[in-house]
Amino acid sequence: MKKWMVGVILLLSVVLCGCSNVKTFEVISDNIVDFPSPTPAKVHLRLPDDATLSVMNGSDGQSYEGDHYQIIVQTYPSGDLSQTLQLITGYSKNQLNVMEVTEDNLNKYLCAWSAVSEEGELVGRCAVLDDGRYHYCLSVLVDAQMSGEIREDIDAIFADYSLEGY
């Protein structure tokens, strides 16, 4: 019986040894991992065939200047639409009538405004495509006196404006 009791005690001690408290450690590192930002999508834009345009490239986009209008294509980080509209138009989102359209997994924001420059009165029109990572902005400034004559060309530019792959 004593051997049986010793066997039970040994068995219980082996089983209960597994119940001891195991210390866990959290690993902390000073290395900051910078994830690469996704590259912006390519913008599809068809310019008028008969237009004579001068092209200027900048850090955030391109500008195409014609006789009576200027086409500006820019890309900004997504997030704050009001800041993007402020950069494009000079007006905040609250000062503009912004229409929102959702199509092909993209949010599209449309607005128009007018401004006065040294050359005279300008009419502006803007489309912002938001894929959740970037704001792809197309804006066109037209001399107010010529806006009626070249409206079809401007409408065609905005109708064809899209992102490749969407």
Side-chain angles (χ1 to χ4, degrees):
M1 175 109 171
K2 285 187 178 186
K3 288 183 180 182
W4 185 77
M5 213 39 152
V6 171
V8 169
I9 291 174
L10 282 174
L11 184 63
L12 284 176
S13 65
V14 169
V15 171
L16 293 177
C17 285
C19 295
S20 66
N21 189 5
V22 177
K23 292 184 180 181
T24 58
F25 297 98
E26 182 178 343
V27 177
I28 298 174
S29 174
D30 289 339
N31 295 337
I32 298 173
V33 178
D34 287 333
F35 294 105
S37 60
T39 58
K42 292 189 179 194
V43 174
H44 177 72
L45 180 67
R46 188 176 60 89
L47 300 173
D49 296 330
D50 58 347
T52 305
L53 301 171
S54 61
V55 180
M56 292 185 295
N57 290 319
S59 61
D60 59 352
Q62 297 86 26
S63 175
Y64 306 91
E65 293 198 28
D67 292 334
H68 301 288
Y69 57 88
Q70 179 182 17
I71 301 168
I72 303 167
V73 180
Q74 299 167 305
T75 303
Y76 296 107
S78 182
D80 190 0
L81 179 64
S82 184
Q83 180 183 7
T84 300
L85 290 173
Q86 179 78 36
L87 291 170
I88 296 169
T89 66
Y91 296 104
S92 70
K93 184 179 175 185
N94 297 336
Q95 296 172 315
L96 297 167
N97 289 328
V98 180
M99 294 183 348
E100 181 178 350
V101 179
T102 302
E103 57 185 37
D104 299 329
N105 299 325
L106 290 173
N107 291 328
K108 186 176 191 178
Y109 303 96
L110 306 168
C111 66
W113 72 97
S114 64
V116 177
S117 71
E118 293 177 0
E119 292 83 26
E121 187 177 0
L122 300 173
V123 177
R125 185 171 164 186
C126 168
V128 178
L129 302 177
D130 184 2
D131 67 354
R133 296 179 299 213
Y134 291 99
H135 286 155
Y136 304 92
C137 311
L138 169 65
S139 56
V140 177
L141 294 171
V142 179
D143 292 338
Q145 296 174 349
M146 299 297 294
S147 62
E149 294 177 25
I150 57 176
R151 181 175 180 181
E152 289 180 13
D153 292 337
I154 302 302
D155 288 344
I157 293 170
F158 279 95
D160 196 49
Y161 180 62
S162 62
L163 297 179
E164 292 183 9
Y166 280 89

